[in-house]
Structure formats: structure tokens, C-alpha cells
């Protein structure tokens, strides 16, 4: 009995340990990988790619012959007959069974052009998927960096609260001894309450960014999974050197951006549409073959019953001589569409050049500001330390300590913002040149709603 009790206790401990274990940590790279695999947006784009593959197979079927079969049976009753018509030849039962094979020999290259257009549509959808993936990676980075910056702010605000509490205690002690006026105690208390309010507001931002990131990644709305996930990574990363000229980045962007590929594919698709419209001017040639079994059964004159089985084969040619100019104007419309696409491509190229130039300039400015804010933070921290020592030695004032504290808090907040601006500038540069961190990852099945993260997410 005692052994059973100890065994049951051990099982209970193991169960609660597995359920209430440490939260599953999602780094930035892991979040990007998970988002690409499970984001509903990318899964929708992947389904569109599969749809275009079905279109290709459907268009391929146009090259194959069509086979059909049919059967008809009818009954004819004579109601009235006059002249040389014998009603014995009217009351009858007819049945016809047929098997037909039809092969299109020539259709003005319409089937070929439709097949090639279907392949272009698949390539177009693949580029759409790539564009959505780049945009998704940027969104994940943006929200992830905002979350990390908010956590950095909480650390900074918490340190500020500790400093203000220490300054408040000193101000109260000096005020009780009539060394400093009570005004400084009130000022310190106001600063402390303001810092606490700021902390609460920042904690709310953490919840908002966390929930937004879960939505972007496509995480299941399962409380067990939501509680078991924590997004965290290194916010202060080493600076990356931009070792290429702006023109080199622009050339790289024009090569890699999916929008450029999309414009080229749209122009090719418009050309195929024009060729399909032009095919209406060509003759259409069909080959038809059939096997027929006909049975005619007279009600009264049975000696003339007929039963025939026969083959038939023939070639038909059809050509549209006049359609009111429909095909002509459709062709002209598609040619104008090609010109419009080229102009749109020129506009997109100018926008890409602008995005790359702005991203590089923002990145350079953020790097310089990071160095400046780091020096400012060092100076502000040293100033606060000196003013604190002067105040403790009774040769400084409470006002000087509070001012130094406020300056240090602004410097810490400025560093967090500078780091965020640098991270965002780097993410914008990656998006501008058409890069995603994990280009080989494709969307996978939706995650299981079992309260646990799949083991294939391990880095």
C-alpha cells in the first residue's frame, strides 16, 4: 500500500511537471520559420499555386481526344394518317446507342497558347507567394522588434523606479531633518507615480504585441499553447556594416524583387491573351468518328423492322468570316494592356530605387545615432552618479539629483528607440532588396491543437 502511494505521488509530480514546464521560447528566426510554415496568408497563396497546377492539367487535356457515349429510346404512336402514309410504318419503337470520338486537329494554336498561359499563371502565383513571404517576414520582424523594445523599456523603467525610490527616501530623510525643503519630496513622489504609470502602460504594450505576433504567425487560438509560448531574443545586436554602394543594392533589388518578375509575367500573359484572340481568325479542323447501333421496331409491320450497326468518320472545317470586330478589338485591348504594364513596371522600378535609397540612408543615420546615444548614456549615468554622491555628501541639491535622474531616463529611452530604429532600418533594407531570412521554407500543415508545439520547430 505504501509503495502504491509513493508511485501515485511520483506520477502526479511528473504530470504536473510536464504540464507546467518552462514556456516554449520563440526566437526571431524560429518565429519567421513558424510563420512561413503556418501563416494563413501564405497557406492561402500556396493553395492558389495548387489551383494553377490544376489549370495546367485541365489545359493539357485540350490536346487529347474527347470520347462520349449516348443512348436514346422513343415511342411513336399514330393518331391520324392520310394520303400514301401507312400507319403501320408510324407506330414504332426507336432506340439508338452511340459511341463518339472527337479530336481537334487545328484550332489556330489556341490550345497551345492557353496551355502556355496556364504555366505563366503558375509562375505568376509563385512570385505572388514570394512577395507575400517577404512582406510576412518584415511584419514578423517589425512586431518582434517592437516587443523586444518594449521589454527593454520595462527594464529601463524598472531601474528608473528604483533610482527614484532611492532619491525619494533620501529627500524624505533630508526633509525630516530640515536640510531640504518638502517640495523635493513631492517632486520625487510625482516622478515615482509617473514612472509606475509608464510601467503599467508599457506592460500593456507587451500583451498587445504578443497577441499581434501570434496572429501573424498563425498560432492556434488554444489557451494551453498561448500560455506555453514566450517570444524573446537578443535586442542589442552588433552593428552590421553596409559594405555595398547604393547602386549595387538597387541592382540587386531589381534582380530579386518579385514585383519585377510579376510585371514581366503579366506582359507575357497579355501577349498570350492576344494570341488566343487572334486564333479566331484561323480555321478549326475537327476529326469525328462514331459507332452507332440503331434499332427500329414497328408494332404491326414487323417484317420491315430494322437493326443497323455502322461506323462513321469525317473531317469538318469551320472558319469565322465575320464577328463584328470582336476579335480585332480584343487584340488591340491586350496590346494596350502590354503598354500599360510596361509603364507600371517603370513606376515600380522607381519605387524600388526610392525604397532602397531611403532604407540605406535610414540605416546609416541609425548607426550614427546609436553611437551618439551610447555616449550620451555613459555621460548621463556618470552625471547621475556624481550628483548622487554630491547629494549624499550634502554639497548637492535634490533638484540636481532629480534632473540628473530625468536625463539618465531620457538617455536610456533614447537608446532603446535608436536600437529599434536600427533594427527596423535593417528589416526595411532586406525587404527593399527582396530578401527573406528563410527562403527555402514552404508553408506546412496547420499546427495541431493539442496544447504542445510540434517538435519539428526545433532549430
Amino acid at each position: 500500500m505504501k509503495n502504491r502511494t509513493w508511485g501515485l505521488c511520483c506520477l502526479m509530480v511528473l504530470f504536473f511537471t510536464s504540464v507546467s514546464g518552462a514556456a516554449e521560447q520563440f526566437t526571431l528566426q524560429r518565429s519567421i520559420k513558424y510563420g512561413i510554415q503556418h501563416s494563413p496568408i501564405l497557406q492561402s497563396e500556396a493553395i492558389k499555386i495548387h489551383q494553377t497546377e490544376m489549370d495546367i492539367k485541365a489545359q493539357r487535356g485540350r490536346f487529347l481526344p474527347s470520347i462520349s457515349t449516348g443512348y436514346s429510346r422513343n415511342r411513336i404512336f399514330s393518331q391520324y394518317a392520310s394520303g400514301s402514309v401507312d400507319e403501320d410504318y408510324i407506330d414504332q419503337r426507336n432506340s439508338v446507342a452511340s459511341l463518339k470520338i472527337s479530336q481537334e486537329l487545328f484550332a489556330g494554336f489556341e490550345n497551345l497558347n492557353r496551355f502556355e498561359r496556364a504555366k505563366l499563371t503558375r509562375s505568376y502565383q509563385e512570385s505572388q507567394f514570394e512577395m507575400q513571404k517577404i512582406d510576412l517576414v518584415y511584419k514578423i520582424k517589425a512586431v518582434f522588434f517592437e516587443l523586444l523594445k518594449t521589454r527593454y523599456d520595462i527594464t529601463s523603467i524598472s531601474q528608473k523606479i528604483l533610482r527614484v525610490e532611492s532619491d525619494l527616501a533620501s529627500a524624505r530623510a533630508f526633509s525630516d531633518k530640515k536640510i531640504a525643503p518638502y517640495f523635493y519630496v513631492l517632486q520625487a513622489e510625482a516622478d515615482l507615480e509617473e514612472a509606475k504609470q509608464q510601467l503599467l502602460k508599457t506592460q500593456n504594450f507587451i500583451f498587445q504585441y504578443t497577441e499581434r505576433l501570434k496572429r501573424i504567425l498563425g498560432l492556434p487560438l488554444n489557451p494551453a499553447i498561448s500560455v506555453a509560448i514566450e517570444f524573446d531574443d537578443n535586442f542589442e545586436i552588433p552593428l552590421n556594416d553596409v559594405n555595398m554602394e547604393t547602386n549595387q543594392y538597387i541592382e540587386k533589388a531589381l534582380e530579386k524583387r518579385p514585383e519585377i518578375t510579376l510585371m514581366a509575367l503579366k506582359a507575357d500573359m497579355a501577349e498570350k491573351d492576344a494570341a488566343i484572340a487572334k486564333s479566331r481568325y484561323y480555321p478549326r479542323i475537327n476529326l469525328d468518328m462514331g459507332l452507332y447501333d440503331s434499332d427500329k421496331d414497328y408494332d404491326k409491320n414487323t417484317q420491315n423492322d430494322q437493326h443497323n450497326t455502322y461506323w462513321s468518320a469525317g473531317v469538318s472545317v469551320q472558319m469565322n468570316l465575320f464577328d463584328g470586330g470582336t476579335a480585332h478589338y480584343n487584340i488591340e485591348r491586350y496590346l494596350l494592356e502590354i503598354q500599360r504594364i510596361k509603364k507600371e513596371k517603370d513606376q515600380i522600378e522607381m519605387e524600388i530605387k526610392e525604397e532602397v535609397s531611403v532604407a540605406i540612408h535610414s540605416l546609416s543615420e541609425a548607426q550614427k545615432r546609436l553611437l551618439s546615444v551610447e555616449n550620451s548614456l555613459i555621460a548621463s549615468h556618470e552625471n547621475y552618479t556624481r550628483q548622487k554622491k554630491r547629494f549624499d555628501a550634502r554639497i548637492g541639491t535634490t533638484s540636481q539629483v532629480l534632473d540628473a535622474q530625468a536625463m539618465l531616463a531620457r538617455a536610456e529611452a533614447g537608446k532603446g528607440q535608436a536600437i529599434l530604429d536600427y533594427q527596423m532600418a535593417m528589416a526595411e533594407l532586406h525587404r527593399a532588396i527582396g530578401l527573406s531570412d528563410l527562403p527555402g521554407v514552404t508553408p506546412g500543415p496547420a499546427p495541431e491543437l493539442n496544447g504542445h508545439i510540434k517538435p519539428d520547430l526545433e532549430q
Side-chain angles (χ1 to χ4, degrees), residues 151-186:
R151 288 181 177 166
Y152 177 91
D153 290 341
I154 284 185
T155 302
S156 176
I157 296 172
S158 299
Q159 293 175 354
K160 175 183 177 181
I161 290 176
L162 292 176
R163 291 194 299 265
V164 175
E165 287 177 343
S166 175
D167 297 339
L168 177 59
S170 300
R172 283 175 176 170
F174 283 107
S175 177
D176 293 341
K177 295 179 182 180
K178 308 299 181 181
I179 300 176
Y182 189 70
F183 165 78
Y184 295 119
V185 176
L186 297 177

Side-chain angles (χ1 to χ4, degrees), residues 241-249 252 360 433:
D241 293 331
V242 181
N243 53 8
M244 289 195 300
E245 297 293 335
T246 302
N247 291 335
Q248 293 177 309
Y249 277 107
K252 188 174 183 180
I360 292 177
I433 60 179

Side-chain angles (χ1 to χ4, degrees), residues 118-135:
K119 292 193 293 184
L120 290 173
T121 304
R122 179 182 59 184
S123 299
Y124 181 88
Q125 195 56 51
E126 289 172 347
S127 297
Q128 282 277 16
F129 172 83
E130 186 65 24
M131 187 171 65
Q132 290 289 348
K133 183 173 73 171
I134 293 173
D135 187 62

